[in-house]
Amino acid sequence: MTEQQPDDSLAAALADGSLREVEVAWSDPYGRVQGKRIPAARYPEAAAGRGVGFCDGSLAWNALGEVQTAAGLGAPERGYPDAYAVPDPATYRPLPWRPGAGQVLSDVYGHDGAPSPASPRAVLRRVLDHLAGLGYGVRAALELEFYLLRPDGGPLPQGLHAYSLELANELDPLLGRFTDELTAFVPVESVLTEYGPGQVELNLSHQDALTAADDAFRLRYAVRELARREGLLATFMAKPLNGRSGSSAHIHLSLWQNGEPAFAPEAGAASRTMRAAVAGLVRHLPGLTLFGAPTVNSYKRFEPGGYAPHRADWGGDDRTVAVRSLVDTPHSSRIELRTPGADANPYLALAAALAAVAAGLEDGLDLPPADRAPAPLPATLAAAAAARADRRLAALLGEDVVHDHAVLADSEWHAYTTQVTTWETDRYLRNP
């Protein structure tokens, strides 16, 4: 269920000489695109055998690229050996902004030939394989929000109006590039303006879950690069501007059995399978929040009464809840998880959500009573690091995965709480 369809376009581009360079790419813990540029003539040799080598310590570094020694791959006594990026040819795409160059995504392996447990793509594959063992395939799509800012990080002088075509016109020619050349790189379904000045949302098409995560991973890379070429800064920071709306990464997902929708309504209501999946998400949402909100800033997006839910609750077509149970036609019925921020690693956010879904199915959960008070979500990154306590989620994601990301969270929280800010000096320097 995790395999993508074979694609010979990479081989064809290498054979006809139209390709001069290949980006071999993989994800770091924060969903940033890492990789190496390889001349096309050398690519077949580089991709053969073990693959493209790189320092495996980069899978254990924090937001500033500082390797954390308490993480599994961060211990200095290991010597920071090579990991190997093995390209997945089915993921090849030409780069729209660099003629003659293309990109292929990779799976990461260790010296022993086993998938690296720290590779975000491998974490998602593992959860998808677990669901496949239960008889389910997964389709998913992500909606990502981001801000377009001036190069110095200041907001654009724009009005605030979601869905405004007039504001969208003000952001041309860049928005036009998102619906034109970008669609050859990732399947953009629609583009719209959001509530903040220069805030945009891009919706991606439904795909098998691994491809959906690949698409979201690539989208952030492409948006940043296209914005840079237009003299703008694109940021997926969850809350970049005080008093303005945050940026989300909403996840839509559905389960399938033997090619048929497992969320097809029963007597006009949510199926038992769908109820169990929603219940798993609600029960484990406090534990999986770490993977949808990985930075200190992530938690400034959660606001009572806003569109970024702060409680582990669920509902129907209700954008104030964390989990929407969207009962529609058999093929369009789905779940939407609204808690992840745009700063989340797409592979890990989707893997954590699906691990909770799997737990709901295996544990035979049903929806909590409507009158039950929902549990609050973690209010800070430090609180989210308590994801270690959700043993059920850790067993499905991998104990090492949860440990390492809690270590990264601890690192970010320590850096934040030991920094004296201008807010503190403005407030307290003359007012002890």
Side-chain angles (χ1 to χ4, degrees):
M1 290 294 182
T2 67
E3 295 300 320
Q4 296 168 312
Q5 294 300 310
D7 189 333
D8 61 1
S9 55
L10 174 57
L14 289 168
D16 66 18
S18 61
L19 189 63
R20 58 178 176 77
E21 183 184 283
V22 180
E23 292 183 354
V24 175
W26 59 89
S27 172
D28 83 346
Y30 290 88
R32 293 172 295 203
V33 181
Q34 309 295 295
K36 293 185 178 182
R37 290 183 173 189
I38 298 176
R42 297 188 58 84
Y43 172 79
E45 178 185 356
R50 282 186 164 183
V52 177
F54 68 95
C55 174
D56 75 354
S58 65
L59 297 176
W61 62 25
N62 65 12
L64 291 184
E66 301 162 339
V67 176
Q68 299 306 297
T69 59
L73 298 181
E77 55 268 24
R78 294 182 60 259
Y80 305 122
D82 277 345
Y84 300 94
V86 178
D88 180 350
T91 67
Y92 170 74
R93 300 287 185 278
L95 291 175
W97 55 87
R98 282 207 297 134
Q103 185 187 82
V104 61
L105 303 182
S106 305
D107 291 302
V108 177
Y109 294 84
H111 267 282
D112 59 0
S116 171
S119 164
R121 200 169 193 250
V123 176
L124 177 56
R125 278 190 182 275
R126 185 161 59 245
V127 176
L128 290 172
D129 287 343
H130 185 87
L131 280 164
L134 300 178
Y136 295 102
V138 184
R139 291 184 65 79
L142 280 79
E143 302 169 347
L144 280 84
E145 298 168 352
F146 57 92
Y147 273 87
L148 296 173
L149 304 173
R150 299 196 308 260
D152 63 1
L156 295 177
Q158 261 212 324
L160 307 179
H161 192 161
Y163 303 114
S164 170
L165 290 177
E166 292 179 355
L167 293 183
N169 292 339
E170 291 181 23
L171 295 174
D172 274 337
L174 180 55
L175 256 61
R177 299 186 73 178
F178 292 157
T179 54
D180 182 12
E181 61 199 81
L182 185 55
T183 55
F185 190 60
V186 290
V188 174
E189 192 170 83
S190 61
V191 181
L192 60 138
T193 59
E194 266 291 349
Y195 279 100
Q199 191 181 27
V200 176
E201 177 181 311
L202 290 182
N203 299 330
L204 295 170
S205 301
H206 271 251
Q207 308 275 1
D208 70 89
L210 182 61
T211 302
D214 286 342
D215 290 340
F217 172 64
R218 281 177 147 150
L219 179 69
R220 300 198 306 184
Y221 178 61
V223 164
R224 289 190 183 105
E225 180 56 22
L226 290 177
R228 185 187 70 81
R229 289 170 181 261
E230 295 291 341
L232 296 173
L233 170 67
T235 181
F236 290 84
M237 185 177 177
K239 186 80 169 180
L241 301 176
N242 280 324
R244 301 302 186 190
S245 59
S247 293
S248 305
H250 299 148
I251 297 174
H252 293 255
L253 60 90
S254 57
L255 299 183
W256 296 72
Q257 280 186 312
N258 302 317
E260 295 298 322
F263 287 172
E266 296 173 356
S271 68
R272 181 174 180 82
T273 300
M274 190 176 192
R275 295 199 309 270
V278 172
L281 281 166
V282 171
R283 173 174 290 188
H284 295 284
L285 197 53
L288 65 84
T289 296
L290 173 63
F291 298 96
T295 73
V296 170
N297 178 260
S298 303
Y299 297 82
K300 298 182 178 180
R301 173 179 149 264
F302 296 139
E303 294 178 340
Y307 289 114
H310 64 291
R311 304 179 304 179
D313 54 5
W314 72 278
D317 191 0
D318 181 348
R319 285 181 169 82
T320 68
V321 297
V323 184
R324 293 170 80 199
S325 177
L326 297 170
V327 180
D328 201 343
T329 67
H331 286 76
S332 61
S333 291
R334 64 197 185 280
I335 295 170
E336 181 189 5
L337 178 62
R338 295 180 60 80
T339 53
D343 54 351
N345 184 319
Y347 296 111
L348 296 176
L350 184 53
L354 291 175
V357 165
L361 296 171
E362 291 184 299
D363 298 344
L365 300 183
D366 206 345
L367 293 174
D371 59 354
R372 180 182 296 176
L377 296 183
T380 66
L381 183 60
R388 300 178 179 97
D390 190 330
R391 309 316 305 160
R392 188 76 175 90
L393 204 61
L396 289 163
L397 287 172
E399 298 279 352
D400 46 1
V401 174
V402 173
H403 170 269
D404 283 5
H405 284 273
V407 165
L408 295 179
D410 291 342
S411 161
E412 294 297 302
W413 188 250
H414 176 75
Y416 174 64
T417 56
T418 56
Q419 179 70 39
V420 178
T421 67
T422 55
W423 183 91
E424 293 169 280
T425 55
D426 289 345
R427 195 172 185 90
Y428 303 124
L429 191 65
R430 293 175 176 82
N431 186 30

